[in-house]
Amino acid sequence: MDDERLLRLAYGSAHVRWGDAFGGMESACMAAEARLREGAERNESGFGWLCLPYADQEECRAVSRWLASFDAVVQIGIGGSALGTFMLAGALLHPFHNELPREKRGGPRLYVADNVDPGGLQAIWDVIDPAETVFVVASKSGSTAETMANFLWFYERLRNRLGEEAALARILVLTDPEKGTLRSFVSETRCRTLPVPPSVGGRFSVLSCVGLAAAEAVGIDTESLLAGARAMDARIVGASGLADNPSWILAALHVLAFRDGRNMAVFMPYADGLRDFSEWFAQLWGESLGKANLGSTPVRALGAIDQHSQLQLYMSGPDDKLYTLVDVERHRPGLAIPAGGAESLAPLAYLAGKDFGEMLRVEARATASALVKAGRPLLWLQIPVLDAYRLGALIFLFEHVTACAGFLLGIDPFDQPGVEQGKRYIYGLMGRNGFEDETTQVERHEAIMMSRMWM
C-alpha cells in the first residue's frame, strides 16, 4: 500500500452554483445518516451492505481456495450479481488476465455469463474445459429468469459431459440462506453454497460473497478491498459536518443538481481500470434513485476516449448534467513516450520523454478546466493509485452516496418496483404459471405500439 490516503474531493465548481442551498442540506444529510445507521443496526432489508466490510470472511475464503484449484471460474448472474465481478476484475486484474499462462495470472481464468444471448453462452463453453471449470451461480431470490436460464444451460451440459455427481462437484450456489429455488436446489443436491445476506440487495452486494468469492479465487486482495471500505466508513462517520463529509457532499450536490434541472450524472474516470466501475455505478445509481419521477440518469464516459466523442456535447450542448471526473495520481506501469527519430516527426517533440500516465492526468485537467470555463458544474475526485484499498473505499463511498441521495429525495433507495414489473412480464411471456394476466397486458401494449408502424 503506497500510503493510507483514500482520496481527495474538490467540488468548488459545483459549490459556486448551489452554495447557499448546499449549506441548508446539512440537517437533511444528518437525518439520512441516522436512518442508514438505524436500518443497519436493526438489520432491515436493504441496509445490510453497511455491515459487509466488517463481516467474518473465513467461510468465503475457504470456498475461494477451493475455487482457485480450478482452471476457470464461470460466474452466472445478472445485474449486481455480474457487474460487481466485472468491476473488480476490470480494476484489479491484468486486462488480458484470461490469456496469461497460469503461472503469470496467479489464479483461474474468470468468465461472467450475464446476458441470455446464445452466442455469448456458447462462446464461454467453447473456451473452457468443463472438467477443469467451476460454475458460480449467484441469485439471492433464486428466481431471476435470466440467471436461472443460463444456469440450467450450463448445468445440463455439465451433466451430459461429466455425469451428475461430477457436475454437482463443480457448482457453487450463492443465494438466500433459507428460501428460494436455488436454496431448494442446494437442499436437494447438497452442492456447495454460500449465503447471501437477506438484508443486502443485489446492486449493493459486491462486498459480499457475490463479489468476493470469485475475486479472492483469481488473486484479488479482498482484505485490502474491505480495509478500504472500512476506512471510508470511518471517514464518513468521523466527519465534523457537511463540508467535511465526502458522501454528504456528493449526495447533496447531486440532489441540488437534479432539482436545478440537471437530470443526468456523468461519471468519467481517467483510467481504463475504472471503465467497469462506471457500469457498476450506473446500475447502482439508476436502479436506486429512478423512482416517482425523480432521479438523474447515469451517463458512462471514459477519459480520454470520450473527449473525442462526448466532450463537444458536454461543452456546448444542453446544460443538464453534473460531471464527476476521477483522476489517478500514479498510473502503473510508468511508460515514457519516445522521441521518434524521423525528421518528419519533429513537430511531436513536445511529447518526448513524457509519461503516458502524466499525459492522461493532463487530459483530465484539461477537460475539467474546459468544463469549468463553460460554466458546467463539476466534481473532481482524485485517488493516489488504483489498488484494492482505494477501490474498496470508492465502492463504499458511492454505495453510501447513492443511499444518502435516495433519502434526501424522499424515496426508498433499496427497492426496484420498475425492475419487478419487467420481471413479471418476462415470467408471463415465458409461460410461468400464475402470470397469465401479465402476458395479456404485454399483448395489449404491443398492439398499441404497433398500431402505427411504417415499413
Side-chain angles (χ1 to χ4, degrees):
M1 190 181 299
D2 295 340
D3 57 51
E4 292 294 325
R5 183 161 49 88
L6 296 174
L7 56 82
R8 292 192 177 102
L9 170 62
Y11 59 99
S13 173
H15 188 264
V16 166
R17 187 180 296 269
W18 302 298
D20 293 340
F22 176 75
M25 297 288 283
E26 183 162 72
S27 61
C29 287
M30 291 177 63
E33 186 72 33
R35 179 70 188 96
L36 281 171
R37 301 298 166 174
E38 176 188 47
E41 180 69 23
R42 295 179 176 179
N43 201 30
E44 294 180 36
S45 178
F47 291 80
W49 59 272
L50 276 161
C51 305
L52 291 177
Y54 306 94
D56 183 356
Q57 298 297 329
E58 187 51 45
E59 183 182 14
C60 183
R61 291 199 174 105
V63 171
S64 293
R65 290 191 289 272
W66 170 67
L67 295 176
S69 67
F70 290 86
D71 176 68
V73 175
V74 177
Q75 179 140 336
I76 305 168
I78 199 167
S81 297
L83 291 172
T85 300
F86 278 125
M87 179 261 288
L88 296 178
L92 301 174
L93 295 182
H94 189 286
F96 301 102
H97 171 86
N98 288 348
E99 298 175 30
L100 296 173
R102 177 77 187 220
E103 61 270 19
K104 288 188 176 181
R105 66 175 186 261
R109 293 179 290 151
L110 177 64
Y111 302 94
V112 181
D114 55 346
N115 208 356
V116 287
D117 187 311
L121 291 174
Q122 186 63 55
I124 292 175
W125 188 257
D126 288 343
V127 297
I128 62 170
D129 177 357
E132 297 297 329
T133 302
V134 62
F135 294 81
V136 181
V137 54
S139 172
K140 190 174 80 169
S141 69
S143 61
T144 307
E146 298 88 348
T147 298
M148 298 311 295
N150 287 345
F151 168 65
L152 290 171
W153 191 85
F154 283 116
Y155 180 39
E156 177 70 11
R157 273 147 190 78
L158 270 180
R159 294 166 65 199
N160 290 342
R161 180 70 65 87
L162 305 176
E164 180 74 19
E165 184 177 351
L168 291 172
R170 289 160 176 80
I171 291 174
L172 170 66
V173 172
L174 311 179
T175 194
D176 187 276
E178 296 181 357
K179 61 185 180 180
T181 302
L182 280 176
R183 179 51 55 191
S184 298
F185 176 79
V186 169
S187 298
E188 177 187 354
T189 64
R190 303 299 177 186
C191 66
R192 289 185 188 247
T193 185
L194 286 171
V196 179
S199 60
V200 177
R203 58 187 177 274
F204 287 87
S205 67
V206 64
L207 296 181
S208 75
C209 63
V210 173
L212 299 183
E216 176 87 11
V218 299
I220 290 173
D221 182 358
T222 60
E223 180 47 47
S224 290
L225 195 74
L226 293 167
R230 291 191 295 270
M232 179 54 69
D233 189 30
R235 177 71 182 83
I236 292 169
V237 170
S240 59
L242 173 57
D244 187 45
N245 191 313
S247 177
W248 293 10
I249 292 168
L250 291 170
L253 289 174
H254 273 92
V255 169
L256 290 172
F258 168 74
R259 291 174 178 168
D260 196 33
R262 284 163 182 79
N263 61 353
M264 291 187 231
V266 176
F267 189 87
M268 190 173 185
Y270 276 75
D272 284 354
L274 290 173
R275 183 196 302 260
D276 291 319
F277 188 96
S278 298
E279 296 287 341
W280 172 83
F281 166 74
Q283 187 211 3
L284 180 71
W285 191 259
E287 196 168 90
S288 298
L289 304 182
K291 298 156 193 173
N293 293 316
L294 299 172
S296 52
T297 300
V299 178
R300 300 175 287 277
L302 181 66
I305 291 171
D306 283 307
Q307 290 172 211
H308 298 271
S309 66
Q310 296 295 312
L311 189 56
Q312 176 62 43
L313 172 67
Y314 297 165
M315 289 288 296
S316 303
D319 188 8
D320 56 359
K321 305 170 187 69
L322 175 62
Y323 302 89
T324 301
L325 271 60
V326 183
D327 172 50
V328 179
E329 292 184 69
R330 297 186 297 281
H331 288 269
R332 297 168 175 164
L335 296 177
I337 304 171
E343 186 175 338
S344 58
L345 299 178
L348 303 180
Y350 74 96
L351 294 173
K354 304 290 176 49
D355 186 83
F356 275 98
E358 177 188 357
M359 184 174 182
L360 196 56
R361 297 201 66 212
V362 165
E363 302 264 6
R365 292 170 58 199
T367 298
S369 294
L371 288 168
V372 171
K373 183 177 181 180
R376 304 301 162 101
L378 175 74
L379 302 166
W380 175 269
L381 274 175
Q382 187 178 77
I383 60 175
V385 66
L386 180 54
D387 59 9
Y389 182 68
R390 252 62 60 151
L391 183 64
L394 281 177
I395 289 168
F396 193 89
L397 173 62
F398 278 97
E399 288 178 334
H400 195 281
V401 170
T402 302
C404 187
F407 289 122
L408 294 180
L409 288 169
I411 60 175
D412 181 355
F414 304 128
D415 67 357
Q416 51 275 334
V419 176
E420 296 305 320
Q421 182 61 70
K423 287 183 178 180
R424 293 181 66 86
Y425 286 150
I426 292 168
Y427 294 153
L429 291 171
M430 293 300 290
R432 183 174 176 178
N433 289 335
F435 293 87
E436 292 79 11
D437 288 347
E438 279 73 13
T439 302
T440 302
Q441 290 179 31
V442 171
E443 291 171 348
R444 184 166 63 250
H445 297 158
E446 287 177 337
I448 294 171
M449 288 189 294
M450 303 301 179
S451 62
R452 294 290 186 271
M453 179 180 287
W454 180 84
M455 297 293 290

